[in-house]
Amino acid sequence: MSKTTSRFGRSIKPTLQKADRDIVALGIAVAAVILFVGTGGSLMPQIVASWMGRGVAPDLALTNALFLNIALLIFGWRRYKDLRREVQERKSAEARARDLAERDPLSGCLNRRSGPPAIDNLIAESQTAGADVAVLMIDIDNFKQINDLNGHHIGDRVLATIAERIEAQLPQDSVLVRIGGDEFACAFPFQLHARDRVDSTVDAIIRSVSNSITHEDATIDATLSIGIARSGREADGTTPLGAERLLHRADIAMYHAKKRGRNRYFWFEHQMEDELRFRNEIEAGIREGLKNGEFVPFYEQQIDLESGRLVGFEMLARWHSQTYGVVAPNIFIPVAEDIDLIGELSEQLIRKALKDALQWDPAITLSVNISPLQLRDPWFAQKLLHLLVESGFPPARLEIEITESCLHENIGAVRSIISSLKNQGIRVSLDDFGTGYSSLSQLRSLPFDRLKIDRSFVTEISKAEVGSELLLAIISLGRGLSLPVTAEGIENGEVLEKLKGLGEIKGQGYLYGRPENAADTAARLDKLGLLVKVPSGAIEAPVDTISETLRKAG
Ligand code: C2E
Ligand code: MG
Ligand code: MG
């Protein structure tokens, strides 16, 4: 197996050098030498003897020919040396140009163009030696954030350091490629029965990159997601795959690792391809659905447990997809987040929900869920306010639900958004409380209006062996922080009865019915005498009210 030509992988074969001129000059020099040996051997002693006055001078023409021969010899030799130097220079210029064309200047790795042929060479060599090749696709998690927070020059240093750390863990005959941006690929041979050696190499790469990178004053913690594909015959005996197909497979497995929470690796499996196809269809469906208004709000009742009164609704998104029917939010919200359409999607839903809720009794509140990504948008509070003003919906009737996972994202930004929402009179509750890692000091420092206890704690209280101690502790924590609580996921009367004895709490759950669409919700409210008929036109707020409210919002 050939040796690597540089620390970051072998080059593809260099093109052949032409040394024709070199050979011609060498030929002239050799001919001149032969001529000199042939004629000079007898003539030279005669010339020297005549110069010393000890003999007859040789024929003048022959003497001149000999001197011409010597001149030719010197000229040929000089020319030969010049040409050799020129060829050397040309060779190294070509090597430099090839390097520039084949290598990524930042990391020194092979680039997207030269990488796959080098992997193909490696596969061919390994096949001859009876080994398989593991092809890894490596992506740095959240690299955009590293760049945004620290600037591009630190981002570049991080890339170069990560390339070095990956390379340090790779076996001798490896190829390392920078595919582009924050993506690297590498390939190395392994014996089929020693697949665990690939696992331990990948483990070592992940571990070594997870050590903090310090540059200038910045300390960066980076993690990797890695997908692995292997060359070699398929189980069905079909021909081994080439570099491009293997890279594609490794990419699919890497994507799978991202979806499973990043900072991990997966070997490619065929069903991952189907998942990806499904995911791409969902992505395209969301884009289309947004254009066609296929996302609609459903409403889940919120009840005051003591009085049993209906006090509000939580809006839950549903997708009326032409292909899949009614789709639940846990399928499409994460995809909308990934493709950066969550803001637009949420805006469409909230606009519809505000319009629906204007028909409800003014005492009934509306809660909407907000994705952590929306809280990164510095204009989020303004956008929401604009929607409120546009619809004429009173901010005091609106409650925003943010999940606990938001709190470790960027606590400063979250605090400032919560404060501006509250300044407008919008209330903010902490959803799914108990599933995240919010600390007591965070809870105390953020001005929440309510805690929503995750349903996993609520359903537990009907189990004899667990009981209600944990739930009680959460409720008294809320009391200590002066935060009212809502219990989610009340599914039966037994849970409800236990909750009723635990103090003043709101509740919601399937016991009161499944989330319903706008029409069914309106019908339910109508029966309860809680529907107001909004005169048409009242929904549109006057323009001067909009500008006045936006002005106050600063
Ligand atoms: P969530 O905000 O905690 O909403 C409660 C979820 O629990 C809803 O699921 C609801 O249908 C379900 N649920 C309510 N009562 C019960 C019960 O008694 N038993 C059981 N097993 N489940 C119950 P859904 O509608 O599938 O929503 C799931 C999650 O999706 C929501 O959790 C929320 O985090 C997210 N979501 C929904 N709509 C939106 C939205 O418009 N924007 C964003 N960013 N997220 C949304
Ligand atoms: Mg919620
Ligand atoms: Mg919840």
Side-chain angles (χ1 to χ4, degrees), residues 9 21 36 67 82 100 172 175 242 299 378 395 399 469 551:
R21 282 194 294 160
F36 179 74
F67 285 125
D82 286 351
L100 283 176
Q172 173 71 38
V175 173
Y299 301 99
E399 190 165 300
E469 268 69 29
R551 191 188 58 72

Side-chain angles (χ1 to χ4, degrees), residues 296-298 300-301 314-318 327-334 337 342 345-346 349-350 368-372 374 401 403 431-432 452-455 459 488-492 508-515:
V296 292
F298 269 48
E300 180 174 328
Q301 301 173 64
E314 175 174 2
M315 188 269 277
L316 296 162
R318 296 289 182 269
V327 183
N330 55 343
I331 304 283
F332 64 84
I333 295 274
E337 287 176 337
I342 187 66
L345 175 64
S346 178
L349 283 162
I350 294 175
V368 297
N369 294 283
I370 291 301
S371 147
Q374 287 172 276
E401 297 191 5
T403 50
D431 203 0
D432 305 331
K452 293 191 71 177
I453 307 171
D454 189 67
R455 71 162 180 269
T459 38
E488 296 182 312
I490 307 172
E491 288 187 350
N492 54 53
Q508 56 185 92
Y510 291 169
L511 176 67
Y512 301 101
R514 299 276 168 147

Side-chain angles (χ1 to χ4, degrees), residues 485-552:
V485 295
T486 298
E488 296 182 312
I490 307 172
E491 288 187 350
N492 54 53
E494 191 191 339
V495 171
L496 174 65
E497 284 316 309
K498 286 195 172 169
L499 281 170
K500 271 186 177 172
L502 300 181
E504 199 184 306
I505 36 183
K506 275 208 265 183
Q508 56 185 92
Y510 291 169
L511 176 67
Y512 301 101
R514 299 276 168 147
E516 292 169 328
N517 64 22
D520 291 344
T521 305
R524 173 184 292 281
L525 288 171
D526 203 12
K527 268 195 229 146
L528 296 169
L530 293 173
L531 202 62
V532 288
K533 295 279 173 261
V534 188
S536 59
I539 289 175
E540 304 300 329
V543 174
D544 54 347
T545 319
I546 298 182
S547 42
E548 174 62 8
T549 316
L550 286 176
R551 191 188 58 72
K552 274 195 211 151

Side-chain angles (χ1 to χ4, degrees), residues 68 128 131-132 173 189 204 224 293 298 358 378 399 420 425 455 548 554:
L68 199 62
T128 321
D132 273 359
D173 271 318
L224 303 178
F298 269 48
L358 272 178
E399 190 165 300
S420 27
R455 71 162 180 269
E548 174 62 8

Side-chain angles (χ1 to χ4, degrees), residues 203-234:
D203 268 332
I205 291 175
I206 288 179
R207 250 181 293 118
S208 89
V209 169
S210 71
N211 293 325
S212 297
I213 299 168
T214 310
H215 187 67
E216 292 174 9
D217 286 340
T219 302
I220 291 105
D221 292 305
T223 59
L224 303 178
S225 297
I226 301 180
I228 315 168
R230 65 162 188 85
S231 69
R233 221 160 260 284
E234 292 289 278

Side-chain angles (χ1 to χ4, degrees), residues 280-291:
N280 289 341
E281 283 167 17
I282 295 278
E283 264 187 44
I286 291 176
R287 291 180 203 282
E288 204 49 33
L290 274 173
K291 279 192 229 142

